[in-house]
Amino acid sequence: MTMNAAVEPASLSIGRRAQRDLVPFRIRHLDGFHVLTNDLGDHMLLDDGQLEQMLQGKYAKGDPLWARMVERNFIASELDRKALVARQKEKLKFMAYGPNLHILVVTLRCDHTCQYCHASRAPMGAHETDMSIETVERSVDFAFESTSPGLTIEFQGGEPLANWPVVEHAIEYALQKNALAGKSLTFALVTNLSLMDEDKLAYLIERRVQICTSLDGPEAIHNAVRIYKEGNAHANVVRWMKRINARYIESGLDPQLYRIEALPTISRLMLSDPKALLDHYVDVGCHSIFLRHLDPFGFAAHTKRRIGYSMDEFLVFFEQALDYVIELNRNGVDFIERTTSLFLARIIAHQEPNFLDIRNPCGAGIGQMAYNYDGRIFTCDEGRMVDASSAANDCFVIGNVASDEYKDVVAGPIVRAMTIASTLQGQPGCSTCAYLPWCGICPTHNYIEQGSIQGRMADSTWCKKHMGILDLIMRKLQRADAFELELFERWTQVREQPHFLHECGEF
């Protein structure tokens, strides 16, 4: 048994019977109750009396606490080992796959000057930052070397539409390769939509490319942080979001399932009014939101005095926003907060959503790779961002598509180091944390914030963010009524989007 505390009892001991009966577990003490987790990912929320009863072995077969401990796999002699091995094997199957997300940075050019730009964009005239046809083909070739049965090729920038011919060529080239490779293939495009037109949209719809954009709040806030000198950034993005959603409907797709994804980056300007942000997302037709903290990458490291905030402030914002999302659902508005849903998938559904930021170990080099416009391969997109904005000494560069072999890249020392650094069981502070079964580490965040990929969790804002969000989720689960429990369960149900999937060999 290990413990980490928010509010720890004055004394805590464990009796001999409990030592014999119970599986190893960890405890986090919150206000008025206790979170217990085991290595299988099961949990129990107990009040003081129940915890005392459990630890002193004051339970009998057939009583409610015993039944609960058996159901949640806390009694060693009652474990269904075959079923639990199968469950763990399913949750950890990603370990045998290889990188499935391949991010192609086709240009650094961008016509927006976002105050927090994580990508360290270049001006529109900097054509030397465009990826060439030769480099994009080599990047796609490299991605197809992955042992993963499924690939997602994601186009990023800068603004990827600024190098549209290379995006289009990469899609056609990947589809041709997949006719022989036989992988499950999807495409994604991250764009500010300023260079979108009907011809490009028609092609993206035809080739079933998932489109994602940024929407940082109502018009005044969006335009204040996402500066676009050629026009009204907010009006443009909302117009194209509505047009894309209309095209999905015209294609006969379910509008509840197929909609353009929009992501906000929370700035100080939005921090005081989460309801305004959520209402705006509902107004423009979104059914979900991913509340993202302002990360310390790229230009954000230099503008934090103007648009930044403390992690404590963000956690207050997050709680207010989650409360309002629940209220929206009570009022009949179907809406999801994605960070919460990802954690709930692990907590109550025992799923592995494969969200690389909270995977254990993380996805750097083993779940994703990022291909820079110049052919350099990075552990992840965050590693590429760190390299572009600091003297990182190539510490996140794992190869080059022009000169390196796939097997040497994925088995190289940098990928190994990132994997070790993000394995929670070997990280002080994480190995004894009750939230270990559900959490993850970002070594690049550790590097930019603390100068080491291992980091120091006691001082980490990454840890503080996840600890605060998981504490909030635990409090929600402890106090949830029937409606909230049903809502949380629904948030864990994954609805596949087969329209975006190019089946094996399809061309």
Side-chain angles (χ1 to χ4, degrees):
M1 180 187 72
T2 60
M3 297 177 294
N4 66 347
V7 180
E8 186 171 341
S11 62
L12 192 64
S13 62
I14 183 166
R16 289 186 177 180
R17 183 187 179 194
Q19 293 180 41
R20 183 187 69 240
D21 288 348
L22 302 179
V23 302
F25 61 92
R26 301 171 179 85
I27 304 179
R28 180 164 176 80
H29 307 286
L30 297 178
D31 42 324
F33 70 100
H34 315 272
V35 182
L36 282 66
T37 67
N38 58 37
D39 285 334
L40 301 168
D42 295 283
H43 75 282
M44 292 194 297
L45 307 179
L46 304 180
D47 62 28
D48 291 345
Q50 292 166 330
L51 180 63
E52 176 73 11
Q53 183 183 355
M54 175 179 171
L55 295 185
Q56 295 306 312
K58 298 176 181 178
Y59 45 76
K61 290 187 178 182
D63 69 26
L65 182 58
W66 171 268
R68 194 170 169 192
M69 290 191 294
V70 170
E71 178 192 6
R72 298 300 177 94
N73 296 307
F74 276 77
I75 300 295
S77 62
E78 300 293 326
L79 298 180
D80 183 342
R81 285 170 170 78
K82 287 186 177 180
L84 291 171
V85 166
R87 191 176 81 181
Q88 290 300 97
K89 185 177 179 180
E90 176 66 21
K91 288 166 66 174
L92 296 174
K93 64 183 181 182
F94 68 85
M95 293 292 291
Y97 276 4
N100 67 294
L101 174 60
H102 298 267
I103 297 171
L104 273 58
V105 181
V106 296
T107 184
L108 293 185
R109 293 189 294 132
C110 186
D111 54 4
H112 281 49
T113 310
C114 300
Q115 292 194 40
Y116 56 77
C117 180
H118 294 151
S120 299
R121 48 82 69 185
M124 287 296 286
H127 291 276
E128 68 276 10
T129 69
D130 285 358
M131 183 178 279
S132 67
I133 292 291
E134 180 184 20
T135 300
V136 84
E137 286 189 357
R138 287 180 173 177
S139 298
V140 172
D141 288 342
F142 208 93
F144 270 87
E145 289 291 316
S146 173
T147 52
S148 174
L151 297 180
T152 294
I153 296 177
E154 181 176 296
F155 301 99
Q156 288 200 26
E159 170 48 52
L161 294 184
N163 195 8
W164 173 250
V166 165
V167 172
E168 194 173 19
H169 184 83
I171 292 171
E172 297 303 315
Y173 185 71
L175 288 171
Q176 291 177 26
K177 286 190 69 70
N178 202 43
L180 294 176
K183 293 181 181 289
S184 296
L185 177 64
T186 58
F187 299 103
L189 175 75
V190 181
T191 171
N192 62 34
L193 295 171
S194 63
L195 300 176
M196 184 65 75
D197 58 41
E198 289 293 340
D199 289 340
K200 293 187 183 74
L201 179 57
Y203 176 83
L204 294 168
I205 294 291
E206 178 188 356
R207 287 310 197 198
R208 291 177 276 159
V209 178
Q210 190 167 14
I211 305 170
C212 180
T213 192
S214 294
L215 182 62
D216 286 352
E219 183 172 5
I221 291 175
H222 182 93
N223 288 343
V225 293
R226 298 185 61 82
I227 300 168
Y228 178 46
K229 294 182 179 180
E230 303 300 319
N232 186 319
H234 179 270
N236 182 73
V237 75
V238 169
R239 177 172 66 89
W240 277 110
M241 286 177 66
K242 292 180 178 179
R243 178 62 181 138
I244 293 166
N245 288 336
R247 285 299 308 271
Y248 287 151
I249 294 173
E250 292 167 9
S251 301
L253 298 174
D254 180 358
Q256 299 297 316
L257 186 58
Y258 293 96
R259 309 187 70 79
I260 181 172
E261 295 286 342
L263 299 173
T265 297
I266 307 304
S267 68
R268 182 186 297 172
L269 304 178
M270 196 73 256
L271 206 63
S272 63
D273 199 354
K275 288 186 177 182
L277 174 66
L278 293 162
D279 285 339
H280 189 56
Y281 263 63
V282 172
D283 288 344
V284 300
C286 294
H287 291 174
S288 67
I289 195 167
F290 204 137
L291 297 173
R292 298 191 301 171
H293 180 261
L294 186 66
D295 285 324
F297 301 118
F299 297 162
H302 307 292
T303 59
K304 61 183 179 181
R305 289 187 177 181
R306 294 197 302 274
I307 63 173
Y309 41 82
S310 70
M311 187 56 67
D312 287 331
E313 290 175 305
F314 176 75
L315 290 171
V316 170
F317 166 88
F318 190 96
E319 181 171 5
Q320 292 172 344
L322 183 57
D323 286 343
Y324 190 55
V325 169
I326 295 171
E327 182 182 333
L328 287 172
N329 280 273
R330 286 190 188 277
N331 292 330
V333 178
D334 186 14
F335 201 83
I336 298 174
E337 199 292 304
R338 291 291 182 190
T339 303
T340 306
S341 71
L342 288 167
F343 280 123
L344 286 172
R346 287 181 158 190
I347 294 167
I348 65 178
H350 296 290
Q351 299 170 355
E352 175 47 66
N354 203 32
F355 183 64
L356 302 181
D357 284 1
I358 57 170
R359 224 171 66 170
N360 177 23
C362 80
I366 62 172
Q368 69 168 303
M369 293 181 179
Y371 305 79
N372 205 35
Y373 70 91
D374 57 5
R376 289 184 299 160
I377 308 168
F378 288 85
T379 56
C380 51
D381 199 37
E382 290 78 9
R384 192 262 307 184
M385 295 173 188
V386 172
D387 182 84
S389 60
S390 68
N393 300 316
D394 290 338
C395 66
F396 299 109
V397 179
I398 55 178
N400 192 300
V401 297
S403 58
D404 293 304
E405 297 290 333
Y406 172 83
K407 61 182 177 60
D408 296 325
V409 169
V410 295
I414 295 177
V415 172
R416 291 173 182 267
M418 296 288 278
T419 302
I420 292 170
S422 62
T423 299
L424 301 187
Q425 287 82 354
Q427 178 71 277
C430 296
S431 61
T432 57
C433 179
Y435 296 147
L436 181 149
W438 310 321
C439 201
I441 293 174
C442 178
T444 51
H445 191 284
N446 289 344
Y447 180 89
I448 201 69
E449 184 180 66
Q450 300 180 323
S452 162
I453 61 172
Q454 282 77 25
R456 301 176 302 280
M457 290 303 103
D459 305 319
S460 167
T461 59
W462 182 271
C463 176
K464 188 171 186 176
K465 175 178 69 174
H466 286 166
M467 188 79 73
I469 291 173
L470 283 164
D471 281 349
L472 174 61
I473 292 173
M474 291 299 105
R475 292 185 178 102
K476 292 291 185 187
L477 289 173
Q478 172 72 355
R479 301 162 187 168
D481 58 21
F483 175 85
E484 290 170 336
L485 290 175
E486 188 277 332
L487 177 67
F488 295 155
E489 178 68 32
R490 182 152 38 94
W491 285 3
T492 70
Q493 297 170 7
V494 178
R495 295 187 64 190
E496 301 294 341
Q497 294 178 304
H499 172 76
F500 293 126
L501 179 64
H502 295 265
E503 293 290 353
C504 299
E506 177 188 347
F507 180 63

